Amino acid sequence: MSKILASSLRDMRILTDKGLRVGNIYDMEVDEDTGKVEALKIKPESEEIAQTLTTDDEGNALIPFRSLMAIRDYIVVSEKSLAVQQLKGR
């Protein structure tokens, strides 16, 4: 398994597995007790994307870390997982 530095993730583009551009990574939420990454904070690509995702007080969209499928030149997230997140938020 290769290692990825958190600093290399800043501003990385996030796409869904269907090719939809979601936004760029801004920060991460980490559980301070376990050290596990809980969510990615992203700057949404559009207002429409921001409205479909859970957001924090600053307007950053939150992508659950469990939604990540791959990290290479960009981050790929499961569109299905994001849809489930949206349904849970209602």
Side-chain angles (χ1 to χ4, degrees):
M1 179 188 296
S2 63
K3 296 181 182 181
I4 299 172
L5 298 174
S7 61
S8 69
L9 298 177
R10 179 91 183 202
D11 295 323
M12 188 176 277
R13 176 167 279 166
I14 299 176
L15 305 170
T16 68
D17 54 336
K18 306 285 189 213
L20 175 68
R21 288 190 288 184
V22 179
N24 291 41
I25 190 167
Y26 173 72
D27 209 347
M28 294 186 287
E29 287 185 356
V30 177
D31 182 308
E32 62 183 62
D33 294 328
T34 65
K36 293 176 85 174
V37 176
E38 297 289 327
L40 299 179
K41 288 186 173 191
I42 69 162
K43 293 290 183 186
E45 185 79 19
S46 67
E47 187 62 35
E48 182 180 62
I49 296 290
Q51 292 175 356
T52 61
L53 297 172
T54 303
T55 56
D56 64 11
D57 295 337
E58 300 167 352
N60 298 307
L62 300 173
I63 305 279
F65 191 74
R66 65 182 174 277
S67 298
L68 269 68
M69 300 177 73
I71 301 175
R72 294 278 189 257
D73 294 332
Y74 45 85
I75 297 171
V76 178
V77 297
S78 166
E79 198 166 293
K80 182 179 177 182
S81 178
L82 295 180
V84 169
Q85 177 194 12
Q86 181 182 1
L87 290 174
K88 286 182 180 179
R90 291 184 178 172

